Amino acid sequence: MARVAMLGSGTWGFALATLLGSNGHTVTAWARNPILVKQLQTRREHPKLPGNLTDPNVHFVSDIEQALERADIIIESVTSAGIRSVFSSIDTKELPIVVTSKGIEQKTGLLLPEVIADIIGEPRSKRVGCLSGPSHAEEVMRKLPTSVVSSGYDMTFASRIMELFITPTFRVYPNSDIHGVCFGGAMKNIIAIACGISDGLGSGDNAKAALMTRGLHEIRKLCVVKQCRAETLNGLSGMGDLCVTCMSTHSRNYRFGRLIAEGLSPEGARQKVGMAVEGVYSCVSARELGIKYNIPVPITEVTYDIIYSELDPREAMKKLMQRAIKEEHL
């Protein structure tokens, strides 16, 4: 059994810590907020996941060094915006690192495993991997059937991640394309915001199906700049994650978009969601990549304009529908 340092105790970190604890691993979970840590220590449930108790093997601390002490492996579950600052502040002690957040770093365009590799000074490090796929914390806590993907720059490590997490209700498929796995997980959040906006406007299922399909096409076009295999996006970490994030009210990105369509400002919508909305951050990064490599990303562009340039959501939908029509290429 492993001794796990879980960095981040949001709902996803809490759910993964609980899953690992139930697998017999000893988990020390770190959170920056001491008030949250106190709640987790005493109530054994996350305030955003009421009624779902964690496993006795999980312990919570507000001292990150305490979490890392005697650990065999680090599981990351902070935010894409915070991952560089967190890992730049610690000594990873050459421990293997599993990334579970989903995003693309702004300005650098790096995927999160690339950010970790950049910090530790080991490009394409064999001790860096990821876990991604269609998985809501609420359903993992309830032990509902879930299938995800593990990956790494080294497939031996991807298999180790699989063995660490797999349970009778949490199925893990190893995949050698770590960039493709992470790119799909990051980009689907942007499309989910657009789908939430569309539903909030009452645009109907036809419109959402078009946004999801053309959104996947947009992701496939852009994925080449990160040396991804396009076929990876047909799997769990691409189409699978896109479906669950665009169609579920558990999705904070979808809810964020819907709240904007209902009249809230982006900041008001973010506060109402009450948790990190990763698509808001990655939207900037994806747009930067599109501009840098001259690849059109129209859904990403209008989503960016709604969030950052006060474009009216109805005008955004009109803008997408009035684009010049070209032959559909898949």
Side-chain angles (χ1 to χ4, degrees):
M1 295 294 104
R3 292 171 297 189
V4 178
M6 174 66 70
L7 303 188
S9 294
T11 55
W12 187 229
F14 183 85
L16 289 180
T18 301
L19 184 150
L20 289 167
S22 70
N23 257 359
H25 305 296
T26 300
V27 183
T28 305
W30 167 78
R32 194 188 303 274
N33 184 343
I35 296 173
L36 173 61
V37 169
K38 189 68 174 175
Q39 288 179 326
L40 297 175
Q41 288 172 337
T42 55
R43 299 179 189 173
R44 308 298 294 168
E45 67 176 18
H46 197 284
K48 296 288 186 181
L49 297 168
N52 294 282
L53 297 181
T54 193
D55 189 88
N57 284 328
V58 182
H59 312 279
F60 299 94
V61 297
S62 55
D63 181 349
I64 197 167
E65 294 302 328
Q66 190 177 344
L68 293 168
E69 188 179 346
R70 298 174 58 220
D72 300 317
I73 189 167
I74 297 170
I75 312 294
E76 173 281 328
S77 185
V78 291
T79 64
S80 53
I83 193 168
R84 183 175 288 276
S85 63
V86 168
F87 277 86
S88 294
S89 70
I90 62 173
D91 178 4
T92 61
K93 306 173 184 177
E94 298 189 355
L95 292 171
I97 301 165
V98 182
V99 174
T100 73
S101 297
K102 300 171 182 178
I104 306 168
E105 190 175 46
Q106 292 180 8
K107 300 193 186 328
T108 66
L110 295 177
L111 297 168
L112 302 190
E114 293 181 293
V115 174
I116 298 291
D118 182 54
I119 293 167
I120 64 177
E122 299 174 18
R124 304 185 73 83
S125 173
K126 291 184 177 182
R127 65 184 177 103
V128 176
C130 71
L131 187 79
S132 191
S135 46
H136 290 310
E138 295 84 350
E139 296 188 0
V140 171
M141 287 298 298
R142 291 165 56 199
K143 296 186 177 179
L144 296 179
T146 301
S147 294
V148 297
V149 173
S150 66
S151 190
Y153 290 112
D154 179 83
M155 278 304 289
T156 302
F157 187 36
S159 296
R160 184 181 172 190
I161 296 168
M162 176 197 72
E163 293 164 1
L164 194 71
F165 282 96
I166 196 165
T167 76
T169 58
F170 194 83
R171 190 170 176 84
V172 185
Y173 292 85
N175 184 312
S176 61
D177 181 18
I178 185 171
H179 284 189
V181 168
C182 290
F183 194 75
M187 289 293 296
K188 55 87 186 180
N189 287 326
I190 303 166
I191 310 305
I193 292 174
C195 286
I197 292 170
S198 178
D199 279 359
L201 294 175
S203 299
D205 292 340
N206 294 347
K208 184 157 71 172
L211 280 171
M212 290 174 65
T213 307
R214 297 307 298 168
L216 183 61
H217 177 62
E218 194 163 299
I219 298 169
R220 286 173 64 95
K221 283 194 303 179
L222 197 59
C223 82
V224 296
V225 308
K226 297 305 300 180
Q227 297 81 50
C228 308
R229 294 200 302 262
E231 59 267 27
T232 300
L233 299 170
N234 296 332
L236 287 166
S237 61
M239 188 62 187
D241 212 355
L242 182 71
C243 287
V244 79
T245 311
C246 292
M247 297 193 296
S248 174
T249 54
H250 287 318
S251 164
R252 61 188 75 168
N253 291 279
Y254 173 86
R255 279 187 283 141
F256 172 81
R258 185 150 194 150
L259 287 167
I260 287 177
E262 291 170 358
L264 268 66
S265 68
E267 183 54 36
R270 185 155 41 184
Q271 290 180 10
K272 185 100 179 216
V273 171
M275 294 180 282
V277 181
E278 291 287 13
V280 172
Y281 182 84
S282 295
C283 183
V284 176
S285 316
R287 179 175 177 269
E288 288 171 346
L289 285 174
I291 292 170
K292 180 178 179 179
Y293 293 98
N294 196 29
I295 297 174
V297 284
I299 298 173
T300 298
E301 283 281 0
V302 298
T303 304
Y304 174 92
D305 287 341
I306 290 168
I307 297 170
Y308 294 102
S309 301
E310 299 183 355
L311 176 64
D312 182 85
R314 295 185 187 279
E315 288 302 314
M317 187 63 70
K318 198 180 297 181
K319 188 175 179 180
L320 283 175
M321 292 299 292
Q322 292 177 352
R323 292 184 74 243
I325 294 176
K326 301 175 183 177
E327 183 182 354
E328 183 183 44
H329 289 288
L330 303 176

